[in-house]
Amino acid sequence: MFVTYRKQDDSVGKVDAIYSNPEDFDLSFVDGFHVDVIPEATAVAGTYSVLMVKLPLQELYYDYIAIQPTNNLEQLSSENTLLKAQVRAQSERFDFIEDVISELAAQLYK
């Protein structure tokens, strides 16, 4: 397998992609290296894992980033108001189109 990464600084890189068949791709333009095994991330509650590289050792490890709660009541309430307005507008538009089709059909069958 071939791991490509983007340097964060001189000692750390963030993994961009993992190629199981690197010979099928032109990887001459990217930073990367061959590995035999990709480590598995540990499940840590309230976080998500990001595969990283220790440079210049080319050693893979995971950073665990805390998930920030974004669904507060105020935000959900404003989104709900917006969605209701959008549904109402779509419904009115559908009613208008339905009326137009009915009128066209009435004109056609006169």
Side-chain angles (χ1 to χ4, degrees), residues 4-68:
T4 63
Y5 62 90
R6 194 171 322 144
K7 275 187 171 183
Q8 304 291 308
D9 59 43
D10 288 337
S11 63
V12 175
K14 181 179 178 184
V15 172
D16 283 330
I18 301 169
Y19 297 88
S20 57
N21 296 320
E23 58 277 351
D24 295 343
F25 303 93
D26 176 17
L27 299 171
S28 59
F29 61 93
V30 295
D31 291 326
F33 57 94
H34 287 278
V35 295
D36 294 325
V37 177
I38 304 295
E40 287 192 35
T42 306
V44 178
T47 66
Y48 65 93
S49 57
V50 177
L51 189 56
M52 303 294 286
V53 180
K54 287 182 186 175
L55 301 172
L57 303 172
Q58 297 182 339
E59 182 180 315
L60 297 174
Y61 71 97
Y62 285 94
D63 261 356
Y64 295 92
I65 312 297
I67 298 171
Q68 299 297 322

Side-chain angles (χ1 to χ4, degrees), residues 70-100:
T70 58
N71 293 339
N72 61 34
L73 185 58
E74 228 174 82
Q75 180 183 4
L76 292 174
S77 178
S78 67
E79 286 178 8
N80 191 33
T81 302
L82 175 63
L83 289 171
K84 283 181 180 179
Q86 289 173 336
V87 166
R88 193 170 26 256
Q90 286 286 58
S91 178
E92 290 171 4
R93 184 167 187 251
F94 179 74
D95 290 343
F96 173 75
I97 291 172
E98 200 173 56
D99 291 344
V100 169

